[in-house]
Amino acid sequence: MKIQKLLKILTLITSAIALTTTSLWIGKQAYSWLPPEAAAESRLVDDLFSFLVTLGAFIFLGVTGTLMYSIIFHRAKKGEICDGPPIEGNVTLEVVWTAIPILLVFWIAGYSYQIYEQMGIQGPNHLMHLHMPMGMESAYAVTVEDAGNQEDTGTRGRGDAGNIFDNISASSEIASNLEHIEQIDVLAKQWAWVFHYPEKNVTSTELHLPSDRRVRLALRSEDVLHGFYVPAFRLKQDIVPNKTINFEFTPIRSGKYRLTDSQYSGTYFATMQADVVVESPEDYHQWLAKAATHKPSPASNQAASEYAQVVNQSFPTGWATVAPAEAPLVNYPG
């Protein structure tokens, strides 16, 4: 009997080791399921995702393994029709299987909130009041009010978006005095992204970023709620009207990525996309210098083109929609 009991314990320990090893291996594979890590902050999200996959795999394999073991080794014998032993409730077991899920939920919630804080994503409650910049491990976002009492930064000659960008740049100066950070103003509107680079007074509809350099985006909405979302960066930040949100991150992988609007902002929100080009600092500054020599011209706008087709068609669509904003004047249309 002692040998049989010892064998059962060894079998249980071996199964637990095999289950843990397999779950960890599956969790490692989860990194390859996501887009390439194009920002330093990507690792935070990918580690959390890998942790959740590992935990999910452990629970799934543990439950299904137990079921398969019961089906194979504890099934009724052929011709046996009697009931099983009348086992009553087990308080210890009930406490254990209630306590473990609760602890797991708190563990997941704590880890997720820690990543949320490190990423510095600002939710609606954060945006209700003025906040001073908070240092984050990898990124932070801070809401600042329009700096109406700041010195006039002058008109920058950027068409209808000029005054808004002036306010964004002025409010960005309120942030903490840190090491040099690349400042870029981001304006979201129905339905276009407009990017302004104060260093060379360049405006474009394509976001260019230097790799391995800290970037601070001053996010602002011209009309409704928008969402700045780049899957390759694992970053998503809501943009609230009448608020400027300074959001920092560090691109680390050169290439072209896609920016989309994560919030439904109206009929043509699906067209509100833009290319994000991450390049070496040398190439980035060469692009800035070249774009600064271009005369501002109206940018192409897919939403405006589709709206014009709808307006000019001979039959009514049956629904009303907001007319897209005028195409912005930019030095580089992308």
Side-chain angles (χ1 to χ4, degrees):
M1 292 296 293
K2 291 183 178 180
I3 296 177
Q4 192 175 24
K5 185 176 181 180
L6 182 61
L7 287 175
K8 289 183 178 179
I9 294 175
L10 290 176
T11 301
L12 183 61
I13 294 174
T14 303
S15 300
I17 294 175
L19 175 60
T20 303
T21 303
T22 304
S23 300
L24 290 172
W25 179 83
I26 294 175
K28 291 295 184 182
Q29 303 310 305
Y31 287 101
S32 63
W33 303 345
L34 300 171
E37 295 177 348
E41 291 72 21
S42 302
R43 174 60 60 169
L44 294 172
V45 177
D46 289 2
D47 287 344
L48 174 60
F49 183 73
S50 176
F51 165 74
L52 295 176
V53 170
T54 301
L55 186 60
F58 184 88
I59 295 173
F60 175 77
L61 294 177
V63 172
T64 54
T66 302
L67 289 175
M68 293 301 297
Y69 175 82
S70 300
I71 292 173
I72 295 173
F73 296 103
H74 295 280
R75 60 188 305 162
K77 297 179 181 179
K78 186 176 181 180
E80 187 176 0
I81 59 174
C82 62
D83 294 334
I87 300 175
E88 298 280 330
N90 188 317
V91 177
T92 302
L93 182 60
E94 292 176 0
V95 170
V96 169
W97 76 35
T98 301
I100 290 178
I102 292 176
L103 294 176
L104 286 177
V105 169
F106 278 109
W107 187 12
I108 294 172
Y111 186 16
S112 301
Y113 184 77
Q114 181 183 6
I115 299 300
Y116 187 83
E117 285 292 305
Q118 290 174 357
M119 295 289 288
I121 309 300
Q122 295 267 328
N125 291 334
H126 294 79
L127 301 177
M128 294 302 294
H129 304 92
L130 175 66
H131 289 264
M132 294 302 293
M134 296 177 59
M136 296 293 177
E137 226 175 84
S138 296
Y140 70 79
V142 57
T143 302
V144 290
E145 300 293 342
D146 290 339
N149 58 346
Q150 298 295 313
E151 294 182 2
D152 184 13
T153 56
T155 302
R156 302 184 179 180
R158 295 181 303 283
D160 55 354
N163 292 333
I164 294 178
F165 279 131
D166 286 341
N167 290 335
I168 296 176
S169 298
S171 60
S172 299
E173 296 175 2
I174 302 178
S176 298
N177 183 21
L178 304 175
E179 59 181 341
H180 175 70
I181 299 177
E182 197 68 34
Q183 302 270 359
I184 302 175
D185 305 328
V186 179
L187 175 65
K189 62 180 180 178
Q190 296 172 309
W191 284 270
W193 295 98
V194 186
F195 310 103
H196 174 251
Y197 307 82
E199 180 181 341
K200 293 291 186 179
N201 194 23
V202 169
T203 307
S204 73
T205 53
E206 184 176 82
L207 179 58
H208 283 247
L209 301 172
S211 63
D212 302 308
R213 294 291 187 274
R214 197 73 173 158
V215 176
R216 176 184 294 153
L217 302 183
L219 305 173
R220 190 175 180 88
S221 170
E222 186 180 83
D223 34 51
V224 298
L225 184 68
H226 294 281
F228 181 90
Y229 178 46
V230 183
F233 295 166
R234 315 291 193 270
L235 297 173
K236 186 177 79 69
Q237 173 63 57
D238 291 347
I239 309 175
V240 180
N242 301 320
K243 298 286 182 180
T244 299
I245 303 171
N246 286 341
F247 188 64
E248 291 188 15
F249 59 94
T250 306
I252 59 173
R253 187 186 182 98
S254 298
K256 181 178 287 188
Y257 308 98
R258 202 64 174 165
L259 164 65
T260 63
D261 188 352
S262 62
Q263 301 292 339
Y264 178 75
S265 54
T267 307
Y268 300 102
F269 88 103
T271 66
M272 192 170 170
Q273 302 187 33
D275 288 331
V276 179
V277 179
V278 179
E279 51 201 347
S280 66
E282 295 77 16
D283 292 341
Y284 170 74
H285 286 98
Q286 288 179 8
W287 173 83
L288 270 182
K290 182 179 179 181
T293 63
H294 295 171
K295 183 179 179 180
S297 60
S300 60
N301 188 295
Q302 184 180 349
S305 301
E306 293 185 8
Y307 179 77
Q309 294 177 6
V310 172
V311 171
N312 295 330
Q313 66 186 12
S314 58
F315 56 90
T317 59
W319 66 81
T321 184
V322 176
E326 294 183 5
L329 294 177
V330 298
N331 301 91
Y332 188 83

